[in-house]
Amino acid sequence: EVQVLESGGDLVQPGGSLRLSCAASGFTFNNYAMSWVRQAPGKGLEWVSLISGTGGNTYYADSLKGRFTISRDNSKNTLYLQMNSLRAEDTAIYYCSRGGRLNDYWGQGTLVTVSS
Amino acid sequence: DVVMTQSPLSLPVTLGQPASISCRSSLSLVYSDGNTYLSWFQQRPGQSPRRLIYNVSNRDSGVPDRFSGTGSGTDFTLSISRVEAEDVGVYYCMQATHWPFSFGQGTKLEIK
């Protein structure tokens, strides 16, 4: 059974950093691109970042460039999102999903709250 | 960036009646490989998004056949032939042809 499970969400002060993780199982991890999508409270879905199966190609939403870094460890079947210089507007549930273009499996999400 | 515009944003429907949601993109979603990367997602209250339809019209495993997707180029539609109570939630279209990928604003389906 395909599963992706996010973790690492927390309350963090503005300007702080946080690293999210997404543990994958039930499929050959390095065969798939992986994505992060976020959802601010009561709002719609927003693309954050995408990484290829090998990790050699990464893409980011324009508004996030330079602050967020996506990476993966294929030996651990784990996806990461390093978030720096966090702002109040980064408060959201962050979802991990399998795939770049097709996003067929999603995790339950992890909540990041940026507040003083 | 590609803008995805859904309508309506609110959709009250009587149980057993049909429903449809429109999604229009600001650019053609036909990719160089010939595929059109337009998907539909359902998000029930308190749950994660669930993919219903991919590549315009392909229904995911386990998705009831009352859900169908049609369209081409820049105009797409999600149809529900007979709405059931479990269909309540927010529906999003998503394009994954042009980076940055983008979602529509969401359409909230409720039972009238």
Side-chain angles (χ1 to χ4, degrees):
Chain A
E1 181 190 3
V2 173
Q3 286 191 327
V4 290
L5 183 63
E6 304 92 337
S7 61
D10 205 348
L11 171 63
V12 61
Q13 291 190 340
S17 298
L18 205 58
R19 188 176 84 158
L20 306 182
S21 300
C22 170
S25 60
F27 62 100
T28 303
F29 186 63
N30 60 11
N31 282 352
Y32 289 85
M34 296 291 293
S35 302
W36 288 101
V37 175
R38 69 182 181 182
Q39 186 171 36
K43 303 296 184 182
L45 300 169
E46 179 189 15
W47 270 97
V48 172
S49 187
L50 162 66
I51 188 168
S52 62
T54 62
N57 294 295
T58 58
Y59 305 85
Y60 299 93
D62 288 344
S63 60
L64 301 173
K65 277 182 183 174
R67 295 195 300 125
F68 288 15
T69 303
I70 191 171
S71 62
R72 63 193 296 159
D73 185 337
N74 286 345
S75 69
K76 296 182 178 179
N77 288 354
T78 303
L79 173 73
Y80 302 102
L81 185 68
Q82 176 68 43
M83 304 185 295
N84 298 329
S85 303
L86 283 162
R87 306 167 181 169
E89 55 265 35
D90 296 318
T91 294
I93 296 173
Y94 286 72
Y95 295 103
C96 158
S97 73
R98 186 178 81 160
R101 301 188 186 278
L102 296 180
N103 308 98
D104 52 357
Y105 288 90
W106 295 58
Q108 86 294 339
T110 187
L111 177 62
V112 173
T113 303
V114 184
S115 174
S116 54
Chain B
D1 295 1
V2 176
V3 177
M4 304 296 289
T5 303
Q6 288 183 228
S7 63
L9 300 185
S10 178
L11 184 56
V13 184
T14 301
L15 286 173
Q17 293 301 301
S20 66
I21 300 169
S22 170
C23 175
R24 291 186 171 176
S25 59
S26 58
L27 284 177
S28 172
L29 299 186
V30 180
Y31 189 54
S32 55
D33 63 5
N35 289 312
T36 299
Y37 292 102
L38 185 285
S39 299
W40 289 95
F41 293 85
Q42 174 195 62
Q43 189 173 32
R44 290 171 171 153
Q47 295 188 13
S48 305
R50 168 199 182 195
R51 196 181 71 177
L52 300 175
I53 303 284
Y54 64 97
N55 291 9
V56 180
S57 59
N58 296 278
R59 197 167 43 245
D60 271 279
S61 174
V63 174
D65 61 8
R66 63 179 182 275
F67 289 92
S68 62
T70 58
S72 64
T74 61
D75 288 339
F76 306 92
T77 301
L78 175 69
S79 299
I80 309 173
S81 58
R82 296 172 306 278
V83 169
E84 298 188 6
E86 65 178 18
D87 300 336
V88 165
V90 180
Y91 292 79
Y92 296 92
C93 61
M94 186 203 85
Q95 70 83 17
T97 295
H98 306 282
W99 186 261
F101 301 159
S102 48
F103 293 92
Q105 316 97 300
T107 295
K108 186 173 185 178
L109 186 150
E110 60 181 24
I111 304 302
K112 200 185 294 184

